[in-house]
Amino acid sequence: MNSVLPPSTGRRQVSWGTPLTYALALAIAAVSIAPVVYVVIGGFRTTPQIVADPAGLPDPFVWDNYARVLTQSNFWQQAFNSAVIALGTTLAVVVLGMAAAFVLARYTFRGREGLYTFFTLGLLFPAGAAILPLYLMLRDLNLINSYYAVILPQVAFSLPLTIVILRPFLSAIPRELEDAAAIDGASRLGFLWRIAMPLSRPALVTVGVLAFVASWNSFLLPLLVLSDVGLHTLPLGVQNFSSQYTTDTAGVLAFTSLAMLPALLFFTLAEKQIVGGLQGAVKG
C-alpha cells in the first residue's frame, strides 16, 4: 500500500516573538539587578578604590565596612523598628484585606460593585498627595512619633491592591464547596478559615510580600512622622549615615546593602508564590 505523505509545508516558520521577549526580559533584569550588584560589591571595597575605579571589582575584598555597620547599635535599633512596622503592616493588610475581599466576593448586597470600585480607585490615588493632610490628621490624633503613625497609613494605602488581588481567588471558589461546608456545620467564618484561606494561599503570600517590601522600603512617610531618632527605620538610617559620613562612600554602600537585604531575601524566597498569586488575580 502506498502511503500518502502530507504535503510539504515549505520553509519552517520562525517565530521571533519568544526570542524578542526573552531579550527584553533579560535587558530589564540586567537594568534592575545591576545597581543592586554594584551596591553590594561596592561595600567590599575602600573609598579610594571606588574613586580610582568606580566600575572595578574588590581587590582585595574588604570586610571592615560591613563589620563596622553591624557593630553599630543604631543599625540594629533601626532594623528592629523596620521589622516591627513592616510586620505590623503586613499582618493588618492580610487580615483586613482578606476580610474585605471575602465579603465583596462571597456576599451579595446592594452597592457591592460600587464599594469594590471605590477600593479600586484607591490605586489611582498618589500617596504623596495625601502626605500633608495625613500628617495633620496624625498630629491631631497624637500619633506622631509612634509606630502607628507609619503602620496605619501604610495599611490604608495597601488595601486597594490587596483587595483587587484577593477577590478573584475568593470568587473562583465553587459555591458547591461552600454549600457542602455549610451542610457539615461550618459557619461563614469557618469556611473562610478552613477552606477559603488555604485555597487562596498564593494570593495571601503575594499581598503579604508586597506589603512587607513596600513598608520596609518606605522613606517619605517615616521621614515626616518619626522625628525621634530612636524610632527611625533603616531607610532613614541610610540617610543619616550618608549625611554623617559623606566621604565614606564604601561605608554608605555597605549600610545600604544591609538595609535592603531582608526585603530582597523575603521577596526572592516568595517569588514563585507571587507569580502564582498575580496570575490568579489576572485570570479572575
Side-chain angles (χ1 to χ4, degrees), residues 194-210:
R194 297 179 181 178
I195 299 177
M197 290 185 66
L199 292 177
S200 303
R201 179 182 175 184
L204 290 174
V205 173
T206 299
V207 299
V209 171
L210 293 178

Side-chain angles (χ1 to χ4, degrees), residues 35-44 66 69 75 216 238 250-264:
V36 178
V37 175
Y38 178 82
V39 171
V40 174
I41 292 179
F44 290 104
Y66 287 98
V69 172
F75 174 83
W216 189 275
V238 173
V252 173
L253 294 178
F255 197 108
T256 305
S257 300
L258 293 173
M260 67 181 179
L261 184 61
L264 186 62

Side-chain angles (χ1 to χ4, degrees), residues 64-73 75-76 255 258:
D64 293 343
N65 297 320
Y66 287 98
R68 181 157 47 91
V69 172
L70 291 174
T71 53
Q72 289 186 354
S73 59
F75 174 83
W76 294 108
F255 197 108
L258 293 173

